Amino acid sequence: MDIKLKNCFIAVDDHDKAIAFYRDVLGMEVRGDVGYEGMRWVTVGSPLQPDVDIVLEPPAADPDASPADKEAMARLLAKGLLRGVNFTTTDCDALFARVRESGADVIQEPMDMPYGVRDCAFRDPAGNMLRFMEVSE
């Protein structure tokens, strides 16, 4: 049996800001933009991984979520407490410079880790943590 990742979901509170970050700063493709029942899902992905999608979705992307649940999700997102995504890159320092120049919130500058990667971390416009790892040779 073969199992592969197809997509993952990241909660965002402003799709237009998220598109500008993921497309214009990180260089991802916008693969879809769908609205349904007052909500919006935007699919982005790396041109190097055409079979893996990141879906940018509302914080409480369930039309049956209660107002209290939607508010709780929005508060968690605003605090940066929802999970983000880890990426690999061939040049952590160049990527760091580009993302920092965009004004993104820096969590960690590039550093060599004892487990064999050089990595850095940022928050996207919604507050999600994104980590970028360069594997040491």
Side-chain angles (χ1 to χ4, degrees):
M1 170 175 26
D2 292 338
I3 298 175
K4 296 195 273 180
L5 177 67
K6 171 58 182 148
N7 53 35
C8 63
F9 293 79
I10 297 177
V12 300
D13 55 357
D14 184 323
H15 284 86
D16 294 327
K17 285 182 182 175
I19 289 169
F21 180 78
Y22 286 89
R23 180 192 61 207
D24 302 339
V25 176
L26 298 183
M28 299 208 172
E29 304 169 325
V30 175
R31 298 180 178 162
D33 192 337
V34 177
Y36 179 72
E37 292 192 18
M39 291 180 282
R40 184 178 179 193
W41 290 262
V42 176
T43 304
V44 298
S46 169
L48 300 174
Q49 291 180 296
D51 57 340
V52 178
D53 297 324
I54 298 171
V55 181
L56 307 173
E57 67 174 352
D62 181 343
D64 297 322
S66 71
D69 288 343
K70 289 179 181 181
E71 178 59 32
M73 289 294 292
R75 282 196 312 270
L76 291 171
L77 179 62
K79 291 179 180 181
L81 295 176
L82 299 181
R83 301 303 295 164
V85 175
N86 293 347
F87 297 91
T88 61
T89 181
T90 57
D91 189 340
C92 183
D93 294 287
L95 183 131
F96 178 82
R98 177 182 175 138
V99 178
R100 180 178 57 192
E101 186 177 294
S102 78
D105 182 22
V106 175
I107 297 174
Q108 176 196 306
E109 294 194 10
M111 60 189 306
D112 294 321
M113 304 304 251
Y115 43 88
V117 300
R118 180 167 181 77
D119 74 353
C120 62
F122 292 91
R123 293 208 183 278
D124 74 2
N128 297 296
M129 184 180 70
L130 306 178
R131 185 166 293 281
F132 301 91
M133 296 175 270
E134 176 184 344
V135 177
S136 302
E137 296 294 324

